[in-house]
């Protein structure tokens, strides 16, 4: 294993081609974000919008309700995402089987689909699919409507789960397999190796993926608008 003291970290004052090139692109990206934010703030100020107006709006019942619903649904979504992503990411990282390439590609489908299409797909699934109609019937028995927090969580889950799965797979891939083999030779079971070696070493990557997934879930708008609607009782922050 490499010692961190042996890693060369160039000074920002270096003038070699690579440092100039990469730092220039870093500065360019920061400038793009800065001007986007600056344009929004300038437009708002030009319309006479003040800080007091902003505070007043934040305190309005509609905004507080939207913040609360977004917080609740996104945290539930995060719990579901992490529960699914860890075993799926581990399976993709450690096992090879027939159809692996196809399943590995399917994981990325929610990333490339337009968000509105995800909402339309949910409508089609619960409206014209036998399994979807069966699930909807069960929910209706418990007086649960899809045009509620349940529908929001479904939209958030589908749009965010792929981020965490990919991050989890990458985190598991980065773990030195020799450490797992050593633990096995010392008498640990597969589960003990996973719990005591693999998970601690990949935890940072999984946490990073979970943060990305949660941020994506909070910002979901298109599928919610199509599948759930925009009535007052399902207003989330993006809406």
């Amino acid at each position: 294993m490499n010692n961190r003291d042996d890693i060369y970290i160039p000074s920002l004052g270096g003038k070699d081609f690579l440092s100039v090139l990469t730092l220039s692109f870093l500065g360019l990206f920061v400038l793009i974000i800065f001007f986007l934010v600056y344009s929004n703030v300038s437009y708002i100020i030009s319309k006479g919008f003040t800080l007091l107006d902003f505070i007043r709006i934040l305190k309005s019942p509609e905004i507080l309700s939207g913040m609360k619903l977004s917080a609740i649904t996104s945290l539930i979504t995060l719990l579901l995402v992490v529960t699914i992503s860890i075993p799926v990411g581990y399976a993709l990282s450690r096992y090879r089987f027939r159809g692996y390439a196809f399943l590995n590609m399917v994981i990325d489908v929610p990333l490339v689909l337009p968000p509105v299409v995800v909402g339309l797909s949910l409508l089609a699934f619960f409206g014209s699919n036998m399994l979807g109609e069966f699930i909807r019937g069960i929910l209706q028995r418990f007086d649960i409507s899809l045009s509620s927090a349940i529908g929001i969580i479904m939209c958030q889950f589908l749009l965010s789960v792929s981020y965490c799965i990919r991050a989890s797979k990458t985190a598991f891939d980065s773990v030195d397999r020799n450490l797992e083999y050593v633990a096995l030779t010392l008498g640990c079971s597969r589960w003990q190796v996973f719990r005591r070696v693999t998970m601690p070493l990949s935890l940072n990557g999984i946490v990073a993926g979970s943060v990305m997934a949660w941020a994506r879930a909070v910002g979901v708008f298109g599928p919610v608008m199509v599948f759930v609607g925009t009535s007052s009782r399902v207003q989330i922050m993006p809406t």
Side-chain angles (χ1 to χ4, degrees):
M1 297 180 65
N2 293 330
N3 192 318
R4 290 185 59 89
D5 295 335
D6 298 333
I7 300 176
Y8 171 67
I9 301 178
S11 170
L12 292 179
K15 295 183 179 180
D16 60 280
F17 172 75
L18 183 60
S19 63
V20 172
L21 178 66
T22 53
L23 290 174
S24 296
F25 275 95
L26 173 61
L28 176 62
F29 178 75
V30 172
L31 280 177
I32 292 173
I33 302 300
F34 171 78
F35 281 116
L36 286 175
V37 175
Y38 175 77
S39 299
N40 289 332
V41 174
S42 299
Y43 177 80
I44 291 172
I45 293 176
S46 67
K47 297 300 181 180
F49 193 82
T50 65
L51 180 60
L52 292 177
D53 295 325
F54 179 73
I55 295 175
R56 176 177 52 81
I57 290 176
L58 283 181
K59 292 182 178 180
S60 65
E62 294 83 1
I63 296 297
L64 292 176
S65 175
M67 293 174 63
K68 179 181 178 181
L69 186 57
S70 285
I72 293 174
T73 55
S74 64
L75 290 176
I76 295 175
T77 298
L78 177 61
L79 178 62
L80 295 174
V81 164
V82 172
T83 302
I84 294 293
S85 297
I86 291 178
V88 171
Y90 184 84
L92 291 174
S93 174
R94 291 294 186 267
Y95 306 125
R96 294 298 181 268
F97 43 84
R98 183 174 298 178
Y100 173 87
F102 174 75
L103 292 178
N104 191 42
M105 179 187 66
V106 169
I107 298 299
D108 294 329
V109 169
L111 297 177
V112 299
L113 281 179
V116 173
V117 174
V118 174
L120 293 173
S121 300
L122 284 171
L123 282 177
F125 176 76
F126 286 103
S128 59
N129 184 280
M130 291 183 60
L131 177 60
E133 292 177 351
F134 175 74
I135 296 175
R136 186 178 62 181
I138 294 178
L139 293 176
Q140 289 176 347
R141 291 182 182 179
F142 294 94
D143 198 25
I144 299 175
S145 172
L146 292 174
S147 298
S148 62
I150 296 295
I152 296 173
I153 292 172
M154 289 181 183
C155 295
Q156 292 176 341
F157 176 83
L158 289 175
L159 265 294
S160 61
V161 66
S162 296
Y163 291 93
C164 195
I165 290 177
R166 280 292 163 222
S168 299
K169 179 183 181 301
T170 302
F172 288 130
D173 287 341
S174 66
V175 175
D176 188 354
R177 298 292 297 273
N178 290 325
L179 298 177
E180 297 179 339
Y181 296 145
V182 169
L184 288 172
T185 60
L186 293 176
C188 291
S189 65
R190 289 280 183 180
W191 170 249
Q192 290 174 325
V193 172
F194 173 78
R195 184 167 57 90
R196 297 179 180 179
V197 178
T198 309
M199 272 299 296
L201 292 175
S202 57
L203 187 59
N204 288 341
I206 294 174
V207 170
S210 301
V211 172
M212 288 191 297
W214 176 79
R216 185 69 183 95
V218 171
V220 168
F221 170 69
V224 175
M225 181 182 64
V226 173
F227 181 61
V228 180
T230 57
S231 64
S232 58
R233 64 189 182 88
V234 289
Q235 291 285 353
I236 54 178
M237 282 304 297
T239 307

